[in-house]
C-alpha cells in the first residue's frame, strides 16, 4: 500500500498514468491494513480509533482478521488513486471537470 505503480501494466488506456495503491480486500472480504508487512491474514486486537474497527460499546476491544499491506495474487479488489495523468484522457475518470462541492469553512477564506 501507498506505493506508486505505472498504469502501463493495467492496460493501454492507462499508458503514462501513475497510480497509488490506497487499499483493497482479499477474496474473502478482509481489508488491507497499513503497517502490517505481510501478504496474508493476521488477527489483531483492535481498540477505539484504529482503522478497520468501529467501537460498539465504550471501552470494548475486539480481535479481528485483517490482511497485510503487501499486494499478492489473492486480492480481489484494489483501490487505486490517480497521482499523475497520462497524455490522453480516460473516459469517465479524467474527461470531465467537476467543481468543488463544498466551499471554504472559514469566512476569512471567502473574502
Amino acid at each position: 500500500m501507498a506505493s506508486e505503480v505505472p498504469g502501463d501494466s493495467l492496460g493501454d488506456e492507462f499508458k503514462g498514468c501513475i497510480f497509488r495503491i490506497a487499499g483493497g480486500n482479499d477474496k474473502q472480504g478482509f481489508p488491507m491494513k497499513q503497517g502490517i508487512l505481510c501478504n496474508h491474514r493476521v488477527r489483531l486486537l483492535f481498540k477505539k480509533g484504529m482503522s478497520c474497527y468501529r467501537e460498539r460499546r465504550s471501552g470494548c476491544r475486539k480481535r479481528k482478521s485483517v490482511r497485510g499491506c503487501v499486494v499478492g495474487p489473492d486480492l480481489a479488489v484494489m483501490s487505486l488513486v490517480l497521482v499523475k495523468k497520462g497524455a490522453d484522457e480516460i473516459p469517465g475518470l479524467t474527461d470531465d471537470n467537476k467543481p468543488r462541492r463544498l466551499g471554504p469553512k472559514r469566512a476569512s477564506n471567502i473574502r
Side-chain angles (χ1 to χ4, degrees), residues 1-4 20-24 32-35 67-71:
M1 286 174 56
S3 61
E4 295 184 355
R20 187 179 75 241
I21 300 173
M32 294 174 76
K33 183 164 172 55
Q34 183 72 33
R67 197 183 180 289
C69 65
V70 180
V71 174

Side-chain angles (χ1 to χ4, degrees), residues 5-59:
V5 295
D8 303 335
S9 59
L10 299 175
D12 291 336
E13 64 266 18
F14 303 112
K15 188 176 259 342
C17 296
I18 295 178
F19 293 99
R20 187 179 75 241
I21 300 173
N25 294 38
D26 65 1
K27 291 181 181 175
Q28 285 77 31
F30 292 99
M32 294 174 76
K33 183 164 172 55
Q34 183 72 33
I36 302 170
L37 301 175
C38 61
N39 64 348
H40 52 83
R41 259 181 261 152
V42 292
R43 288 181 59 82
L44 297 177
L45 189 63
F46 286 88
K47 62 182 183 181
K48 181 182 178 182
M50 296 176 76
S51 63
C52 306
Y53 177 65
R54 182 170 59 96
E55 190 180 39
R56 303 297 201 270
R57 292 179 63 178
S58 164

